[in-house]
Amino acid sequence: MDVVWEHREAIALAFAYTVLLFVFAGVGSLIGGTLLTAMRVGPIKVLRWAAAIYVTLVRNTPLLIVIFFFRLAAPKMDLRFDFVDVVLPTTVGDVRINNIFAACTVGLTVYTAAFVCEALRSGVNAVPLGQAEAARAIGMPFAGVMRYVVLPQAFRASIPPLANVQIALLKNTTVAGALGVSEAFIRMRGLLNDNPTARISLFIAFAAIFVVLVEVLSFVANRLERRVRVA
Amino acid sequence: MTVHRGAEAAPTNGAGQALVRLAGVQKHYGNLHVLKDIDLDVARGEVVVVIGPSGAGKSTLCRAINRLETIDEGEILLDGEPLPAEGKGLARLRADVGMVFQSFNLFAHKTVLENVTLGPIKVRKKSKAEAETRAKELLERVGVAHQAAKYPAQLSGGQQQRVAIARALAMDPKVMLFDEPTSALDPEMIKEVLDVMVDLAERGMTMIVVTHEMGFARTAANRVVFMADGAIVESADPETFFTNPESDRAKDFLGKILKH
Ligand SMILES: Nc1ncnc2c1ncn2[C@@H]1O[C@H](COP(=O)(O)OP(=O)(O)OP(=O)(O)O)[C@@H](O)[C@H]1O
Ligand SMILES: [Mg+2]
């Protein structure tokens, strides 16, 4: 455990990357997934199709491939993230948000949004159609029907599957390490190489931190679910 | 009980400009011809009861009037204006047509008060305070004011339906459509909903009501429209229709429902 303590700052910095990737991609995927859901259940055929194709395509592609696409193929299509270069100073060191970090965030967002869409769509299906009709009947346009009537109930119904999607995202951030973001996984691999004798305690430490983070997420989801449950 | 109406009320078929006019309306579901050349004029302040056997197309007719269903041919005018096909214009016209469903369809995640204020605030752009004042008035009128803070699931069916009526009224509609508003209710709750509807009729609201409640038709309706197989078969004042129907279809139908 001495090795873990000795490298506590490096480990904390690594998890700062992990958490940032998670927060950006988490928020992004919730927004993107919500828009995809609206497209999928909306009145415009082309958008319904586009969303369905997106979800099928992205959901069935390995995450690593999606992320590599944004890192390596997207620049060839003039989709670059070079304009991203921010340094966040922290007490444990600088967090550098650069083009690689951005590509990973976009990849994670695009990938997770497909799953958010699926989770949310099951929630939308749980909202009785009659309520949407009643909303249309009082003159609400489609956007209003979704925003005020359907989506609030759909979110409530899909908090558990949405929480699962976000938990998967938290763990999926480790893939960003493969592209060179110094997040938790990469840091762990480095420490394992440098400290062959302390491998067990390093594994335990990293796993334990992930467990704590996931538990925090689960706790928040549970609280949220209880708070919004309709009487 | 008889309904006393104001002086301006209810000329029958065709006189003056109709508030709701359906002309040559056709609709198909695949091979099924659900609305066959429907012509119907409803005057301002008129109460029209639509009856007919199951599958006659009564719900489809109601839903076509505020365009929850599209029609294949013909036109539907509201206050002289044709229903726009899509978009903002359609939404605005829909707001002028109140609709009450068999299954209430209250917004489950909103309180009774919020159910009634949502439309006025988001569609009519009223202030929250103004919408709430009006909502409370309406809830008072339909007799559920003391339930304002509850959620729909905490209310009885009859109470929910009365809230649904208040929700529709809050939009200040020109016409109210009711699609079997009491069919999903236990017998002891039917009267409380019908009473609210009779009251509305007395206040001069233009209403199109799909119902098999003969009592309501006799009390409040100016006209009964009998539909079968997607067509309007007969249209007459309630007394004439119930005591002396013309068509065999209507006689047959009345024979069946009056036996019970
Ligand atoms: N979405 C739909 N797709 C296909 N057929 C439909 C659809 N909606 C209704 N129908 C059919 O159209 C016909 C008319 O239906 P509608 O609901 O208007 O009848 P109704 O007179 O209201 O009957 P009820 O008294 O049972 O409510 C029925 O035969 C019904 O099966
Ligand atoms: Mg019906």
Side-chain angles (χ1 to χ4, degrees):
Chain A
M1 275 298 158
D2 289 351
V3 176
V4 174
W5 184 248
E6 187 186 318
H7 295 284
R8 63 187 180 280
E9 294 204 335
I11 294 173
L13 184 63
F15 274 99
Y17 278 106
T18 298
V19 168
L20 279 177
L21 282 167
F22 167 73
V23 169
F24 289 141
V27 172
S29 66
L30 284 172
I31 295 170
T34 304
L35 290 176
L36 280 171
T37 306
M39 284 165 67
R40 257 192 117 164
V41 301
I44 302 169
K45 210 176 193 162
V46 184
L47 294 182
R48 273 206 303 271
W49 272 94
I53 291 170
Y54 175 101
V55 170
T56 310
L57 201 69
V58 173
R59 209 164 60 115
N60 297 316
T61 308
L63 170 61
L64 200 54
I65 293 182
V66 174
I67 292 191
F68 263 93
F69 172 84
F70 284 100
R71 177 74 186 105
L72 299 176
K76 300 270 177 280
M77 299 157 59
D78 267 335
L79 182 59
R80 294 165 196 283
F81 303 101
D82 298 334
F83 62 92
V84 181
D85 198 7
V86 182
V87 175
L88 299 175
T90 72
T91 50
V92 288
D94 288 350
V95 176
R96 181 131 195 219
I97 298 186
N98 56 11
N99 59 335
I100 302 175
F101 182 97
C104 290
T105 304
V106 170
L108 284 165
T109 301
V110 161
Y111 180 79
T112 309
F115 291 87
V116 168
C117 174
E118 285 298 278
L120 208 50
R121 201 163 62 104
S122 68
V124 168
N125 290 337
V127 180
L129 195 63
Q131 289 185 40
E133 288 198 331
R136 281 163 69 201
I138 54 176
M140 276 201 184
F142 174 74
V145 176
M146 289 304 283
R147 180 161 162 212
Y148 301 117
V149 176
V150 176
L151 285 176
Q153 295 187 71
F155 271 113
R156 288 167 193 208
S158 33
I159 288 175
L162 282 176
N164 285 335
V165 168
Q166 296 299 315
I167 286 169
L169 167 63
L170 178 62
K171 296 188 281 187
N172 282 341
T173 55
T174 49
V175 168
L179 277 83
V181 176
S182 352
E183 49 67 64
F185 168 70
I186 283 301
R187 178 62 63 193
M188 182 178 84
R189 206 178 57 182
L191 289 172
L192 288 175
N193 278 339
D194 299 346
N195 306 278
T197 52
R199 280 184 180 169
I200 300 292
S201 40
L202 280 167
F203 265 114
I204 291 174
F206 276 86
I209 297 173
F210 268 110
V211 168
V212 167
L213 290 176
V214 170
E215 283 303 313
V216 167
L217 263 182
S218 301
F219 176 78
V220 171
N222 279 335
R223 285 297 294 268
L224 212 61
E225 201 190 353
R226 229 173 310 153
R227 244 187 59 187
V228 300
R229 195 176 296 155
V230 173
Chain B
M1 184 171 35
T2 32
V3 176
H4 302 285
R5 330 188 115 264
E8 89 280 48
T12 37
N13 219 346
Q17 193 199 39
L19 181 60
V20 180
R21 159 164 283 174
L22 289 85
V25 171
Q26 311 273 3
K27 175 159 183 79
H28 298 258
Y29 282 122
N31 287 328
L32 186 68
H33 200 170
V34 273
L35 294 180
K36 295 179 184 158
D37 198 21
I38 301 285
D39 293 315
L40 178 68
D41 279 1
V42 179
R44 209 173 292 278
E46 193 179 14
V47 176
V48 172
V49 160
V50 180
I51 73 172
S54 183
K58 308 178 298 290
S59 297
T60 310
L61 180 77
C62 273
R63 296 165 58 81
I65 292 175
N66 68 354
R67 219 173 177 288
L68 288 175
E69 300 285 351
T70 55
I71 57 174
D72 302 336
E73 266 177 64
E75 59 174 4
I76 300 177
L77 304 179
L78 180 67
D79 221 354
E81 268 186 88
L83 288 192
E86 279 304 326
K88 286 240 158 59
L90 175 61
R92 187 172 47 76
L93 245 117
R94 265 197 194 129
D96 288 340
V97 180
M99 179 132 184
V100 176
F101 302 84
Q102 181 175 346
S103 48
F104 329 135
N105 295 342
L106 293 180
F107 308 133
H109 63 307
K110 300 217 170 273
T111 64
V112 164
L113 188 69
E114 288 164 349
N115 262 274
V116 182
T117 55
L118 186 69
I121 294 172
K122 301 300 178 195
V123 178
R124 295 282 196 222
K125 310 287 178 206
K126 284 192 188 174
S127 73
K128 188 160 176 252
E130 193 187 349
E132 283 185 351
T133 310
R134 172 90 173 120
K136 283 175 186 159
E137 246 170 63
L138 287 167
L139 289 172
E140 186 76 47
R141 191 161 128 197
V142 300
V144 286
H146 50 296
Q147 318 279 12
K150 290 191 180 165
Y151 286 92
Q154 298 169 292
L155 268 54
S156 74
Q159 291 170 330
Q160 289 191 51
Q161 192 62 300
R162 285 181 284 149
V163 173
I165 294 174
R167 175 177 68 183
L169 289 176
M171 302 303 292
D172 297 317
K174 293 177 176 165
V175 52
M176 288 278 286
L177 309 174
F178 295 81
D179 188 7
E180 306 206 29
T182 57
S183 301
L185 296 177
D186 293 336
E188 73 268 21
M189 293 171 189
I190 292 179
K191 187 175 176 299
E192 64 191 44
V193 171
L194 289 179
D195 284 347
V196 168
M197 290 166 59
V198 169
D199 174 62
L200 252 185
E202 283 171 351
R203 290 163 182 262
M205 175 60 78
T206 309
M207 294 161 68
I208 298 174
V209 185
V210 177
T211 184
H212 292 159
E213 295 292 334
M214 298 303 144
F216 175 81
R218 286 199 135 106
T219 314
N222 301 99
R223 187 150 54 108
V224 174
V225 166
F226 176 71
M227 277 184 86
D229 296 327
I232 293 183
V233 178
E234 209 169 321
S235 169
D237 68 89
E239 212 42 51
T240 313
F241 180 78
F242 289 121
T243 54
N244 196 8
E246 259 172 36
S247 62
D248 291 342
R249 288 293 320 245
K251 279 178 199 160
D252 186 45
F253 176 76
L254 286 175
K256 275 181 196 146
I257 60 168
L258 293 178
K259 235 177 267 167
H260 298 295

